[in-house]
Amino acid sequence: MTGVPASAAGGHRRPAAATVSPAGLWNIANILTMVRLLLVPGFVLLMLHNGGYDPAWRSFAWAAFAIAMITDLFDGQLARRYNLVTDFGKIADPIADKAIMGAALICLSALSDLPWWVTGVILFREIGITVMRFWVIRIGVIPASRGGKMKTLAQGTAVGMYILALTGPLASLRFWVMAVAVVLTVVTGLDYVRQAIVLRRAGRTTEEATR
């Protein structure tokens, strides 16, 4: 040993590994999710106010629904881009999504604006896929597909059109938009089931190979 420091001898020290601190609960992504959860009871009150058929109050309800859908577009992206993913967000985000959509569908069916079977099909798919995601989460994550994103857009557009007191051609158009949303709901739901089965089989094969 020469007793000369590595820096003096022309050596280079290995840079310390960067540590990323875990995101706290109160970050912008989680706050947007909380706002969406708080909008659910407010939306229901606006939707059913004055018997549920007042065009002005339906417009207010549409505004609350639109804000909820817009926050849904941003909270997940913000969480992933700025490392704001938390356990709370993983649980609360899908719950908030299903809560606002479920509240809107149930209100529309209760007001006889939308057949109950449509509400049943959409809610069965949404709740079922959420449960299925948790079923396979130990093995892997089922990513959101392009079809799933199209389904979300179609559902949001169709439900939004039903919330508004539309008349004339727009009232007829919303029927077809909802029809597209229902078809995408069923097709993408079946695709998620297929992916979940493949993922579970791959997980079992890996477990057997490591025994």
Side-chain angles (χ1 to χ4, degrees):
M1 295 178 63
T2 63
V4 180
S7 57
H12 298 282
R13 292 185 178 180
R14 180 176 297 176
T19 57
V20 179
S21 58
L25 174 64
W26 294 101
N27 61 66
I28 184 61
N30 284 347
I31 290 173
L32 288 176
T33 300
M34 294 175 193
V35 168
R36 197 155 74 256
L37 285 168
L38 292 174
L39 280 172
V40 175
F43 165 81
V44 173
L45 291 174
L46 292 170
M47 187 72 182
L48 300 180
H49 187 78
N50 200 22
Y53 296 103
D54 189 313
W57 287 102
R58 292 282 284 256
S59 297
F60 294 143
W62 177 86
F65 179 79
I67 293 172
M69 298 304 292
I70 290 171
T71 59
D72 181 31
L73 294 175
F74 289 108
D75 58 358
Q77 292 182 8
L78 290 171
R80 290 186 293 271
R81 180 175 300 178
Y82 298 106
N83 193 35
L84 301 176
V85 178
T86 63
D87 291 337
F88 171 82
K90 292 177 183 178
I91 297 173
D93 182 64
I95 291 175
D97 297 343
K98 306 306 179 285
I100 189 65
M101 183 60 69
L105 289 167
I106 292 172
C107 285
L108 289 170
S109 292
L111 294 170
S112 300
D113 289 340
L114 189 69
W116 275 107
W117 71 265
V118 173
T119 294
V121 167
I122 294 177
L123 290 185
F124 179 79
R125 186 270 190 199
E126 298 300 328
I127 296 173
I129 295 304
T130 299
V131 172
M132 190 170 298
R133 284 180 183 274
F134 284 110
W135 179 52
V136 300
I137 197 169
R138 183 176 60 87
I139 302 170
V141 176
I142 302 177
S145 64
R146 181 176 299 179
K149 294 177 181 177
M150 292 175 58
K151 178 271 305 179
T152 301
L153 177 61
Q155 282 185 3
T157 302
V159 171
M161 293 179 73
Y162 270 89
I163 292 172
L164 290 171
L166 299 177
T167 58
L170 287 177
S172 301
L173 177 62
R174 68 185 181 183
F175 169 83
W176 295 106
V177 177
M178 181 60 76
V180 171
V182 171
V183 171
L184 288 173
T185 296
V186 174
V187 171
T188 57
L190 293 174
D191 183 58
Y192 277 125
V193 171
R194 179 192 63 79
Q195 291 186 62
I197 293 174
V198 171
L199 204 56
R200 288 289 295 184
R201 287 176 177 173
R204 289 175 182 172
T205 302
T206 303
E207 289 177 357
E208 292 174 357
T210 54
R211 286 177 182 174

